[in-house]
Amino acid sequence: SFEELSNELIYLVFDYLTFHDICSAFGRLNQRLDDLIDTHTHYLNLQQHTYSDVPTFPWRIRSIKINTRQQFSLIDFAHLHCVHDLLLSNIPSFFLLHIFKTIPLHNLQYIYLGACPGNHEFEETQLAQVQEIVLSLGQRNLRKCVFRTQLFANVDRLPEELPSLMHLRID
């Protein structure tokens, strides 16, 4: 029966489902499944939600994808302690800077920064700060970084070595 499966196999099943589907299908069936849901790190794609649809979020989010400013307001970045993958696009540099000053950065391994609206000097300065913060994470756990914009960061302010950074793409 399903209940006899190991925790690892149940986690693999969870990886194929959205958080909402996991809670709908397995939530409140028994204490073991509730504990597995609470301890599983989830993938969260905010494209699946609208501004009027305020979703319930898991406590442990492994990967998060945000592509509009409205989705940005749905989540408290200070509580994202387990995030390894962060995919952000179409978000103004002010919001990007807020995210990277709020989110716990120690677990980030992959960052994708898509096109950011606006071309003002002030926004370029903020985007430079964001890029410097992101690239400095190459001293920690950051393995892959994609900037879908030009490089605004001041290279002189970056560490000389970024040992964990294996892949860097700048468009």
Side-chain angles (χ1 to χ4, degrees), residues 53-150:
D53 170 34
V54 180
T56 302
F57 293 117
W59 286 101
R60 299 170 58 92
I61 299 173
R62 179 178 174 81
S63 178
I64 187 166
K65 182 176 184 177
I66 301 173
N67 69 346
T68 67
R69 183 175 23 193
Q70 290 79 15
Q71 295 168 347
F72 170 84
S73 64
L74 294 173
I75 195 154
D76 181 1
F77 289 91
H79 293 100
L80 298 179
H81 298 286
C82 301
V83 173
H84 288 209
D85 305 329
L86 188 59
L87 297 90
L88 304 168
S89 59
N90 299 319
I91 298 177
S93 57
F94 169 80
F95 290 112
L96 290 175
L97 191 56
H98 173 75
I99 290 170
F100 284 101
K101 287 187 173 185
T102 306
I103 191 171
L105 302 172
H106 56 278
N107 287 324
L108 287 175
Q109 295 180 5
Y110 171 63
I111 296 175
Y112 173 93
L113 291 180
C116 302
N119 278 331
H120 306 328
E121 186 176 323
F122 179 68
E123 291 172 345
E124 289 177 4
T125 302
Q126 289 180 327
L127 194 53
Q129 290 176 325
V130 169
Q131 290 175 343
E132 289 169 14
I133 292 169
V134 168
L135 290 172
S136 295
L137 295 174
Q139 290 183 299
R140 297 180 185 175
N141 292 327
L142 187 67
R143 297 183 185 280
K144 184 176 181 181
C145 179
V146 176
F147 293 142
R148 296 299 310 261
T149 184
Q150 71 186 60

Side-chain angles (χ1 to χ4, degrees), residues 2 24 31 33-34 46 48 50 73 101 103-104 107 155 166 171:
F2 185 82
S24 297
Q31 188 61 45
L33 286 172
D34 285 344
L46 290 179
Q48 299 166 344
T50 63
S73 64
K101 287 187 173 185
I103 191 171
N107 287 324
V155 180
M166 300 168 143
D171 292 341

